[in-house]
Amino acid sequence: MTADGRGPPAPFLIRLAAALARAVLSSVARVRVEVAGELPRQGPLIVVANHLSNADPPLVVGWLTPLLGRQMHILAKEALFVGPVGTLLRSQGVTPVRAGGSDMEAYRAARAVLERGEVLCIFPEGTRSRTGHLGQARPGVAMLATRLGVPILPVGISGSERFLPPGARLPRLGTRIRLRVGRPFRLQAAGGVSRRQAVEAGAVEIMRRLAGLVAPPNRGPYDPLLDTERAPE
C-alpha cells in the first residue's frame, strides 16, 4: 500500500498494455469516458460491464486501469488461450473460463483475486449480446459479491456493437463509443430469502445498475427496472 492509502500500482507492463489499448482504440474510434464519482483506490473490487463487442475488454481495461491506478484481473473464454497468445493473456492477469457452463476452478481463481484485495473485471452476461440489448446476468458475479461482501463498480458501454459488430472482420472507423462509470455499490442480502433467491435478486440488481448507464436502445428488458430519476443522456 502506498503512503496515501492506495493499493499497489499496476505493474509497468500492465500500464503499458493499457496505454497501447487506449492509443489504438482512440485512433480508430471516438471514445468518451464519464465517471460519476470517486473510484475505490484500495481493497477488493468487482468491475462489471455489459458486453456488446470483442472491443469491450480492451476498452474497459485500457481506460479503467489508469483511472483506478491498479491492475485489473479479467476472465476470458478459454478458447482464446492458445499458444503464445495464451501465455501473454495469463501474464496480463487474464483468467480462462469455460464458455457455456459452470467452472468451479474459474470461480476459485476469481475469489482468490478478491481475497487478495485486488480488482476483478467480469462481464456478467457471460457472452456478447447478439441483439445489442442487455442480457440476463449469470449468477457467478452476484454469488461472489454476496458471499464476500465486495463492492461492485458498474461500467456501461454504448456504441461498441456498432464499432465492431459480432462477425465483423474490421471495425467501423470513427464510431462513437461511450463508457459510463457508475458509483460503487454493494448487494444487500434481504432477510427471509434463500441464498439462491438472494443471488438471483443480486444478478438482476447488477443488470439494473448497468441499464442506468447504457444508452436507451441497449437497455432491453431492464429498462422498466430503472429508477424514476435517471442520469441525463
Side-chain angles (χ1 to χ4, degrees):
M1 185 177 297
T2 59
D4 60 359
R6 298 184 180 185
F12 171 75
L13 288 179
I14 299 296
R15 288 182 278 122
L16 178 61
L20 288 174
R22 292 195 308 276
V24 171
L25 288 168
S26 296
S27 69
V28 293
R30 290 180 286 178
V31 182
R32 186 177 73 182
V33 180
E34 303 171 5
V35 182
E38 187 174 350
L39 301 178
R41 301 292 184 177
Q42 60 178 314
L45 178 68
I46 299 176
V47 175
V48 296
N50 58 307
H51 202 0
L52 301 170
S53 163
N54 281 336
D56 297 335
L59 278 166
V60 174
V61 174
W63 269 268
L64 265 291
T65 296
L67 287 175
L68 291 171
R70 296 192 283 163
Q71 179 179 359
M72 297 174 60
H73 298 265
I74 193 169
L75 304 182
K77 56 186 178 182
E78 63 182 1
L80 299 174
F81 291 76
V82 179
V85 174
T87 302
L88 175 63
L89 290 174
R90 292 178 190 276
S91 71
Q92 300 301 305
V94 183
T95 300
V97 295
R98 188 174 54 204
S102 173
D103 191 338
M104 186 55 66
E105 183 179 352
Y107 174 83
R108 293 194 186 103
R111 179 166 182 155
V113 169
L114 298 172
E115 289 178 338
R116 293 196 302 267
E118 299 179 1
V119 182
L120 178 68
C121 177
I122 302 180
F123 296 89
E125 296 156 288
T127 187
R128 289 171 295 163
S129 171
R130 294 287 176 174
T131 63
H133 300 155
L134 294 178
Q136 184 176 0
R138 299 196 177 204
V141 185
M143 188 180 301
L144 280 167
T146 53
R147 288 185 177 181
L148 301 181
V150 176
I152 300 172
L153 181 68
V155 180
I157 304 173
S158 304
S160 66
E161 78 281 12
R162 298 189 300 274
F163 171 68
L164 189 63
R169 294 185 178 181
L170 296 174
R172 296 176 180 173
L173 303 182
T175 303
R176 294 179 183 271
I177 301 175
R178 185 181 67 183
L179 274 68
R180 298 182 70 185
V181 183
R183 291 180 173 82
F185 68 97
R186 296 177 188 267
L187 295 178
Q188 303 296 328
V193 300
S194 67
R195 177 177 294 179
R196 178 178 178 180
Q197 290 173 320
V199 168
E200 290 175 349
V204 172
E205 175 66 11
I206 289 170
M207 299 312 298
R208 186 188 72 84
R209 298 275 183 158
L210 289 175
L213 297 170
V214 301
N218 299 125
R219 292 170 183 162
Y222 293 94
D223 193 29
L225 299 182
L226 292 175
D227 291 332
T228 54
E229 185 179 350
R230 300 179 179 178
E233 294 301 328

